[in-house]
Amino acid sequence: MRLIDALAYPLAECEEFAQFWGMLDAGQDATCGIAQSARPFVVAARFARCPQPTLVVVPGEDAAEDFARNLAAYLGRDVVLRFPERRDYPWDERVADAPVCAARLRALHSLASERDCVVVASARALLRKLMPPAACPHAPLVVESDACARVEGSQDLAYDEFIRTLERFGYVNTHELEGPGTFAAGGGTVDVYPGDSAFPIRVDFFGDEIEDVRRIVASTGQTISRLDRFEIYGLREVVATKRASAHARDALAKPALSNPVLRELLEEVESGVTGPHSDALLPYCYDAPAQVGDYLPKSAMTVLVEPRSVFDDALHAFDDISSRAAGTGMPAEGLFVEAAKMDFGACQRATYQSIMRVGAKLDIEMPVQRTGVAGNAEKLYGRLRSLAETGYTTVFSVPNVRARQDMKLELVDRNIPIVEVLDSDGGIASRLTTGVVNVTDVEVGLGLVLPKAKLAIVSLSDTQGASALKGGKRVDVTEITFPFSPGDYVVHAAHGVAFFRDLVRQDVGGVERDYLLLEYAEDDKLYVPVEQLDRVTRYVGPEGSSPRLTRLNTSDWSRAVTRARKASKKLAFDLVDVYARRSAATGYAFSPDTPWQQQME
């Protein structure tokens, strides 16, 4: 059993949550007032108790990424999927990003096929219109050993048909793998680099039947592992079938006479060869393009996080898209949906929003407290003792083995009762022990305390760095959590190079929080919560030089990251090749460690 399965029990026994979940169990919509920090946990707990296809909509791409990461800590990465925003547009030169398109189609397929999964999306990611679900643009190409390849829900494919299907899916035959979205075929073997996979796969054919499927190293072709089954998702959300192309020819015939852009589209359709911007054909191929909500089955649930903010996010994104489309000859209305017309599916809905939201109608309210363990060791131990003595179900997350051993000794020395519950031992007991500290190896990003449920989750990271536990005095947050200080240049994972001005404290929604004030080019400012310190690192460059600051809301940083990623990928493949050669060489077996050596260590 997973940790989240065990944590769902104290929630189910809480009167407020029993009422909230009772409404959902009865098929009703329900609204819960709860703080932002606890939302991923309660969504995960609900899914653990009642698995079902779930779409979570949050405001902003960064928030969606954080929400998905926190969910995956509880549910696992195989259950939590992302439906990311596409940053390419049919009217510009930028082509679709292969990993993004493949991830979107995987998420759509998982929802449409009623798999038990949680798909996290920002409101802006839902604006782009899609092919109707009946056209099955999301169906993957399935390969499995001792069987024929097939598009899920369709007939078997011969070897030549398999190659043509890859090309129809948007994969390019480069004759040598060049990254996601490419493949190389020859001699009855096809190497494919799936769009949303970290490694390519090799499909060995014997005639028209697949003999073997393996995950391989791109640069050397060495086998990493064998696979029984693998799903390859397409890189195009719009595929012009014969019927859709005929519809597009009729729809484009008249407007193409006066619009040169549409005339080029019509020529593509008539030639039967569509380019990388085939999405522009969507409103002409179908009378009623679909939205993500159309892919949700009735058994699914839609989770809205701060609906007002979700609407604002969609509104701002659509305004930006409309301004980009102006003068291109392609109206945004045919390709993107307006914020007011977004469809979240005709299924059950659970809403999570702030208790402080003015005018909000809430079915239940769940106050959330901070763990209050930051600063020094005694605060942590005192808080854990207090929670255990007051009958809380207390979980203390310490993923690192050595740190966990140290913390267990410290707790025992202070006569604080503990029980070790390790997921690495093959699962966690169905119920956690109350009145003690349940020490676990499951990583939890941010701790929380739910007083009404008498449930507390404390993470070692809540202490703002392990070094904070070594001394009793209060240390400045910048000294214990990251190796840089005000006045240094830093790099934010999503926004690029900035100048770290200072650590500031601001009141947001009645709650005071610490923020890193980052200054970018053209006097742009970004406030980063200290809970997101893992996204900020110190800038490393030539001694005494000042880097060029990134401009916010531009593609400067994404282009720089793309170049760096390609360079690091090449280096990684070279290293794998080197280590593969080393592994084939004969090594020297040293004698076991002596007792004296172990004592010295």
Side-chain angles (χ1 to χ4, degrees), residues 136-452:
C136 294
H138 52 82
L141 178 57
V142 180
V143 293
E144 52 186 329
S145 300
D146 301 324
C148 290
R150 70 185 189 282
V151 175
E152 188 163 290
S154 185
Q155 61 185 9
D156 294 343
L157 301 173
Y159 176 80
D160 292 338
E161 293 172 324
F162 177 76
I163 301 297
R164 288 195 293 270
T165 301
L166 282 174
E167 293 173 339
R168 181 169 59 86
F169 271 33
Y171 287 81
V172 180
N173 188 354
T174 55
H175 306 291
E176 185 175 326
L177 294 178
E178 296 181 0
T182 63
F183 75 95
T189 297
V190 184
D191 291 345
V192 187
Y193 209 133
D196 60 341
S197 175
F199 290 93
I201 64 169
R202 174 165 291 171
V203 184
D204 291 323
F205 282 84
F206 184 77
D208 288 333
E209 187 174 280
I210 296 173
E211 187 175 38
D212 196 18
V213 182
R214 290 172 284 162
R215 197 184 297 271
I216 62 171
V217 177
S219 59
T220 64
Q222 290 175 301
T223 298
I224 298 175
S225 62
R226 280 182 163 75
L227 305 170
D228 294 328
R229 187 178 190 274
F230 194 86
E231 295 178 349
I232 303 172
Y233 287 87
L235 310 179
R236 293 178 181 173
E237 293 182 18
V238 177
V239 180
T241 61
K242 291 183 179 179
R243 184 174 179 179
S245 297
H247 193 285
R249 279 195 295 270
D250 296 339
L252 284 168
K254 187 174 180 179
L257 297 175
S258 57
N259 188 321
V261 177
L262 299 183
R263 193 178 306 127
E264 290 183 12
L265 281 179
L266 180 58
E267 290 172 357
E268 283 189 7
V269 174
E270 290 177 338
S271 67
V273 179
T274 56
H277 298 296
S278 57
D279 295 63
L281 291 169
L282 180 63
Y284 306 101
C285 288
Y286 302 96
D287 293 325
Q291 298 184 45
V292 173
D294 296 315
Y295 285 77
L296 292 174
K298 289 186 178 180
S299 61
M301 174 182 290
T302 299
V303 175
L304 292 183
V305 178
E306 294 291 356
R308 180 63 196 180
S309 298
V310 164
F311 178 79
D312 289 342
D313 180 38
L315 188 65
H316 295 153
F318 187 81
D319 288 344
D320 177 60
I321 292 168
S322 298
S323 64
R324 291 174 183 268
T328 64
M330 295 184 189
E333 290 76 10
L335 301 166
F336 297 85
V337 63
E338 297 178 38
K341 297 180 180 179
M342 291 180 66
D343 180 12
F344 299 117
C347 54
Q348 191 178 22
R349 190 168 300 175
T351 303
Y352 297 91
Q353 60 188 53
S354 172
I355 296 176
M356 305 300 293
R357 176 73 70 176
V358 177
K361 182 180 179 182
L362 306 175
D363 293 308
I364 70 161
E365 294 183 8
M366 282 296 296
V368 179
Q369 295 178 356
R370 292 187 175 186
T371 54
V373 298
N376 58 58
E378 294 310 316
K379 289 184 68 174
L380 170 65
Y381 304 133
R383 182 62 164 157
L384 291 175
R385 181 192 300 278
S386 173
L387 291 169
E389 290 178 349
T390 51
Y392 271 71
T393 300
T394 307
V395 173
F396 185 29
S397 168
V398 191
N400 183 271
V401 177
R402 291 190 177 182
R404 189 164 60 253
Q405 294 298 328
D406 291 342
M407 295 307 302
K408 287 192 299 181
L409 291 174
E410 293 287 351
L411 293 172
V412 171
D413 287 345
R414 288 167 172 77
N415 294 320
I416 301 174
I418 67 170
V419 172
E420 193 170 29
V421 286
L422 301 182
D423 184 60
S424 57
D425 286 345
I428 292 172
S430 59
R431 287 180 180 268
L432 298 169
T433 307
T434 60
V436 303
V437 176
N438 296 269
V439 182
T440 182
D441 57 348
V442 178
E443 185 173 1
V444 176
L446 187 65
L448 55 93
V449 178
L450 297 173
K452 289 188 177 181

Side-chain angles (χ1 to χ4, degrees), residues 15-57:
E15 182 179 349
E16 284 77 5
F17 261 103
Q19 175 188 341
F20 180 61
W21 284 354
M23 295 177 67
L24 297 178
D25 291 340
Q28 304 173 29
D29 295 343
T31 301
C32 174
I34 194 166
Q36 176 183 346
S37 59
R39 291 167 190 164
F41 167 64
V42 296
V43 170
R46 170 62 192 180
F47 181 87
R49 184 174 182 270
C50 183
Q52 63 187 129
T54 304
L55 173 66
V56 180
V57 186

